[in-house]
Amino acid sequence: MLDLWKRYPQVSEQLNDVNSLIQKLMISDNPAIQSLLNDCARQQGKMLRPGFFLLFSQLTATPAEKSDRLIKIAASLEILHQATLIHDDIIDDSPLRRGAITLQAKYGKDTAVYAGDLLFTVFFQLLIETMNGTHYLKINADAMQQLLRGELSQMAARFQQQQPVTAYLENIRGKTAALFRLACLEGAYFGGSDSTTIELAGEIGENIGMAFQIFDDILDYSSSTGVLRKPVLEDVAQGVYTLPLLLAYQTAPTEFKDLLDKRQHITKSEIRQVAHLVRKHQGVNQAKKLAQSFTEKAAEKISLLPDSPVTSEISQLAQKLLKRKF
Amino acid sequence: MLDLWKRYPQVSEQLNDVNSLIQKLMISDNPAIQSLLNDCARQQGKMLRPGFFLLFSQLTATPAEKSDRLIKIAASLEILHQATLIHDDIIDDSPLRRGAITLQAKYGKDTAVYAGDLLFTVFFQLLIETMNGTHYLKINADAMQQLLRGELSQMAARFQQQQPVTAYLENIRGKTAALFRLACLEGAYFGGSDSTTIELAGEIGENIGMAFQIFDDILDYSSSTGVLRKPVLEDVAQGVYTLPLLLAYQTAPTEFKDLLDKRQHITKSEIRQVAHLVRKHQGVNQAKKLAQSFTEKAAEKISLLPDSPVTSEISQLAQKLLKRKF
């Protein structure tokens, strides 16, 4: 978290408050549950969603809301994200996340199912505390539903070699971009921006989210294991075919078919062959171009935001985030 | 469903509307997800929670709310219940529920995790549609949290032989009674009852829920496989020690110790020995007495409800439900 936000002291300080709040919410009088909740609270990532929320909330000179309400909403975004990560790790059978042992590996998938569920309730409790009676409750519930429909849709498409790029884009629009969109949208709203700015904020968030997810998927095919925190290409063995593979497949389907027909029985060495084919057939380069188009859309819309120091911070952060090394 | 509610034509008709609504909510333009959602919508049980909700909503001559709002709230209760069942089945690795193949068996645990999550969002969407701006949003989120803390606490207590009865009671108060409490409480509230009746309704629901769960746990130890729909005594192999076992253990711990020390490696024949010991040491009979005390508390409080035809229906239903055959 700290590295990324160090340049933005105000956000960085507020993110510390967000973390303190999350820790305060994760309490139980049952020692076994407390240990589990401590682990939930410790699982800090880059805090992108609460960070973007807080940045967008500062677009106006005088935020419309008191700071503690903003901290709670920022926390709700991180908690929703964490809940989905806990359930993702069950599905991916991941031993590690952000370099730390996952809940599912430490406590078992069983406990991790309920732990994720519990975080969903904490998410809703925070929303109810901060926005009961507003239409942002529905916007939040709808975003959560979009996220889950994206995940389910991705699962349903597993091992489908001829999946259209549009289907992939729809899935990541749900599973990743919906939450970035929500963060920026409600940041602007609860910060007191006008309706044009709020709408722009949502579009910026969505485009950042799209580019972010595509870059994440590109990393699987373009970097050495040392750079990646999650096992390279675990997606392929699970039948999750992401953009670089889908694009390369369209160019040379026959070269991929025999390898992918092995489905979950594909070996590590065969996955390396797949990765080689993906690069050979320009899957990575084409995917980068598509990601770039989302980055440009985001940049274009950022340039339409009201002129303020925060706008230039948003612009810099988006550029930094979406120009990660491959 | 039909059998139980046949005697209450008005509730029975409304429950049909609840089912139609649930089916309408379970839609997707993705065929694979649609198949999954159809299965969710088909998984009808006894509809106890929406049924109790609707009964309690009729305590006043003229319900305060329009019928379609009541139907939506009733549906929210059933959907929350179904979401937790889907996740329970993942944890229990259950092949069957209510005689039908479970989602986790049919689609895999992975998909079932997200399917349950999706139902949680539908639950919240229904609440937001029907009670945004009221304090019942918080009451619902808190009930859901209690439910999950009960489940987690039960998981954390697995294989603990010396678990106090009070801990068991706290766990079932969360995992089962909280939702019965909510159903009756908000039934009375949205039906327009006065505050004394609303409070009574919550207490009645809680006591019915406690007795219901204890009776469910007793069934494991007292009936033949033919009568039970879930594998007899699967709980013991998973380390979930319910009331009859805990009570019998307190009487003769040394007789149980060697068997239970085998933990998950306990054989079917050894589980039968455990069941024999439970009955021998009056575990079933003592548990029945405790269940009876909750039934009596419920009956006592039902007698304090306003005198109306619905009150006598509630009384009959509670008696019927809590005097199941062993």
Side-chain angles (χ1 to χ4, degrees):
Chain A
M1 190 268 275
L2 289 176
D3 273 2
L4 185 70
W5 295 106
K6 237 184 316 196
R7 287 180 49 180
Y8 312 101
Q10 200 183 340
V11 171
S12 178
E13 263 174 47
Q14 283 179 304
L15 286 174
N16 285 335
D17 292 345
V18 170
N19 276 325
S20 306
L21 173 62
I22 292 175
Q23 269 158 37
K24 250 175 59 189
L25 292 169
M26 301 285 128
I27 47 154
S28 169
D29 48 15
N30 179 319
I33 300 180
Q34 187 58 66
S35 150
L36 172 82
L37 292 178
N38 287 344
D39 286 338
C40 289
R42 261 197 294 271
Q43 297 211 328
Q44 272 180 35
K46 292 188 284 290
M47 307 280 285
L48 289 177
R49 295 147 193 85
F52 271 112
F53 168 82
L54 291 167
L55 267 182
F56 275 88
S57 77
Q58 289 159 20
L59 277 174
T60 53
T62 46
E65 292 300 335
K66 276 193 214 144
S67 170
D68 67 334
R69 194 179 182 192
L70 295 176
I71 297 299
K72 280 180 186 170
I73 301 173
S76 78
L77 289 160
E78 184 63 14
I79 284 171
L80 174 57
H81 177 55
Q82 282 195 15
T84 61
L85 291 187
I86 291 170
H87 283 181
D88 283 356
D89 288 337
I90 295 172
I91 282 152
D92 299 341
D93 210 6
S94 304
L96 296 175
R97 158 89 60 186
R98 298 166 181 169
I101 187 167
T102 58
L103 288 191
Q104 72 94 15
K106 184 165 174 184
Y107 298 94
K109 288 179 191 286
D110 310 1
T111 300
V113 171
Y114 290 139
D117 293 352
L118 185 64
L119 293 202
F120 283 134
T121 72
V122 178
F123 165 64
F124 275 107
Q125 283 172 321
L126 282 171
L127 298 185
I128 292 165
E129 240 178 89
T130 51
M131 54 183 86
N132 193 3
T134 76
H135 64 296
Y136 269 77
L137 271 186
K138 180 167 159 50
I139 290 174
N140 270 273
D142 289 351
M144 179 174 161
Q145 174 146 159
Q146 250 190 297
L147 196 160
L148 289 163
R149 285 182 183 263
E151 297 274 20
L152 275 167
S153 179
Q154 179 182 286
M155 297 219 71
R158 276 186 299 182
F159 297 110
Q160 284 178 20
Q161 298 169 24
Q162 302 188 16
Q163 205 184 133
V165 167
T166 49
Y168 163 87
L169 292 176
E170 267 326 289
N171 294 350
I172 69 165
R173 198 179 298 279
K175 79 168 202 172
T176 307
L179 200 43
F180 277 92
R181 178 186 176 81
L182 176 68
C184 299
L185 182 80
E186 66 185 2
Y189 176 82
F190 288 101
S193 287
D194 59 63
S195 60
T196 314
T197 306
I198 294 167
E199 204 182 311
L200 265 176
E203 290 165 6
I204 292 165
E206 181 161 326
N207 283 297
I208 289 176
M210 295 297 285
F212 180 76
Q213 183 60 57
I214 296 174
F215 279 137
D216 225 46
D217 290 338
I218 289 174
L219 282 174
D220 276 351
Y221 289 97
S222 57
S223 69
S224 66
T225 320
V227 175
L228 279 178
R229 271 167 308 180
K230 71 172 179 169
V232 173
L233 300 182
E234 63 181 18
D235 279 355
V236 172
Q238 285 167 8
V240 176
Y241 302 152
T242 57
L243 189 60
L245 175 50
L246 295 175
L247 288 168
Y249 181 92
Q250 288 180 354
T251 310
T254 50
E255 290 191 45
F256 284 96
K257 195 171 179 311
D258 287 353
L259 288 166
L260 297 182
D261 279 352
K262 295 178 191 262
R263 296 170 66 100
Q264 67 271 39
H265 304 298
I266 194 165
T267 65
K268 282 191 182 164
S269 125
E270 287 162 341
I271 295 182
R272 276 193 289 270
Q273 287 178 53
V274 170
H276 172 75
L277 288 173
V278 166
R279 286 188 293 263
K280 178 182 157 196
H281 293 293
Q282 305 301 318
V284 169
N285 286 339
Q286 288 182 70
K288 279 186 190 169
K289 274 185 203 151
L290 198 47
Q292 194 58 36
S293 76
F294 286 106
T295 308
E296 281 162 14
K297 261 185 252 172
E300 197 183 300
K301 287 175 194 294
I302 290 171
S303 73
L304 302 173
L305 286 175
D307 196 23
S308 85
V310 177
T311 298
S312 84
E313 284 188 13
I314 291 171
S315 170
Q316 282 168 39
L317 181 67
Q319 278 178 39
K320 195 175 169 187
L321 194 65
L322 304 178
K323 284 190 179 162
R324 290 184 284 172
K325 279 199 185 138
F326 296 107
Chain B
M1 188 267 276
L2 289 175
D3 275 4
L4 184 71
W5 295 106
K6 235 184 319 197
R7 287 180 50 179
Y8 312 100
Q10 203 185 337
V11 171
S12 179
E13 264 174 48
Q14 285 179 303
L15 286 175
N16 285 334
D17 293 343
V18 170
N19 276 324
S20 306
L21 173 63
I22 291 175
Q23 269 156 37
K24 252 176 57 190
L25 292 169
M26 301 285 129
I27 47 154
S28 168
D29 47 16
N30 179 319
I33 300 180
Q34 187 58 67
S35 150
L36 172 84
L37 292 177
N38 288 343
D39 286 339
C40 288
R42 261 198 293 273
Q43 297 211 329
Q44 272 179 35
K46 292 189 282 292
M47 306 279 285
L48 289 176
R49 294 148 193 85
F52 271 112
F53 168 81
L54 290 166
L55 268 181
F56 275 87
S57 77
Q58 288 158 21
L59 276 175
T60 52
T62 47
E65 292 302 333
K66 278 196 213 139
S67 171
D68 66 334
R69 193 179 183 191
L70 295 176
I71 299 299
K72 281 180 186 170
I73 301 173
S76 77
L77 289 159
E78 185 63 14
I79 284 171
L80 173 58
H81 178 53
Q82 281 195 18
T84 60
L85 290 187
I86 291 170
H87 283 181
D88 283 357
D89 288 337
I90 295 171
I91 284 152
D92 298 343
D93 210 6
S94 304
L96 296 174
R97 157 89 59 186
R98 298 165 181 170
I101 185 167
T102 57
L103 288 191
Q104 72 92 14
K106 186 166 173 183
Y107 298 93
K109 288 178 192 287
D110 309 1
T111 301
V113 171
Y114 291 138
D117 292 352
L118 185 65
L119 293 201
F120 283 133
T121 72
V122 178
F123 165 65
F124 274 107
Q125 282 171 322
L126 283 169
L127 298 185
I128 292 165
E129 241 178 88
T130 52
M131 54 183 85
N132 193 4
T134 75
H135 65 296
Y136 269 76
L137 272 186
K138 179 168 159 53
I139 290 174
N140 270 272
D142 290 351
M144 181 175 161
Q145 174 145 163
Q146 249 190 297
L147 197 160
L148 289 163
R149 285 182 184 263
E151 296 275 18
L152 274 167
S153 176
Q154 179 182 285
M155 298 219 70
R158 275 185 301 182
F159 297 112
Q160 284 179 19
Q161 298 168 25
Q162 300 188 18
Q163 204 183 132
V165 168
T166 48
Y168 163 87
L169 292 176
E170 265 328 287
N171 293 349
I172 69 166
R173 196 178 301 279
K175 79 168 199 168
T176 307
L179 200 41
F180 277 91
R181 178 185 175 83
L182 176 67
C184 300
L185 181 80
E186 66 184 2
Y189 176 81
F190 288 100
S193 286
D194 59 61
S195 60
T196 314
T197 305
I198 294 168
E199 201 182 316
L200 264 177
E203 289 165 4
I204 292 164
E206 180 160 328
N207 283 296
I208 289 175
M210 295 296 285
F212 180 76
Q213 183 61 58
I214 296 173
F215 278 139
D216 226 47
D217 290 337
I218 288 173
L219 282 173
D220 276 351
Y221 289 96
S222 57
S223 70
S224 66
T225 321
V227 176
L228 277 180
R229 273 167 307 178
K230 72 171 182 170
V232 174
L233 300 182
E234 62 181 16
D235 279 355
V236 172
Q238 285 167 5
V240 176
Y241 302 152
T242 57
L243 188 61
L245 174 50
L246 295 176
L247 289 167
Y249 181 93
Q250 289 180 354
T251 310
T254 51
E255 291 191 44
F256 284 96
K257 196 174 178 308
D258 288 351
L259 288 166
L260 296 183
D261 279 351
K262 295 178 192 262
R263 298 171 65 102
Q264 67 269 38
H265 305 297
I266 193 166
T267 65
K268 281 191 183 166
S269 125
E270 287 163 342
I271 295 181
R272 276 193 289 271
Q273 287 178 54
V274 170
H276 171 76
L277 288 174
V278 166
R279 286 188 293 264
K280 178 181 157 199
H281 292 294
Q282 305 300 318
V284 170
N285 286 339
Q286 288 181 71
K288 278 186 191 172
K289 273 185 203 153
L290 197 47
Q292 194 58 37
S293 75
F294 285 106
T295 308
E296 280 162 15
K297 261 185 251 173
E300 197 183 299
K301 288 178 194 290
I302 290 170
S303 73
L304 301 174
L305 286 175
D307 196 22
S308 87
V310 178
T311 298
S312 85
E313 283 187 14
I314 291 170
S315 168
Q316 282 168 40
L317 181 67
Q319 278 178 41
K320 197 176 166 185
L321 194 67
L322 304 178
K323 283 188 178 162
R324 289 184 286 172
K325 279 196 183 139
F326 297 108

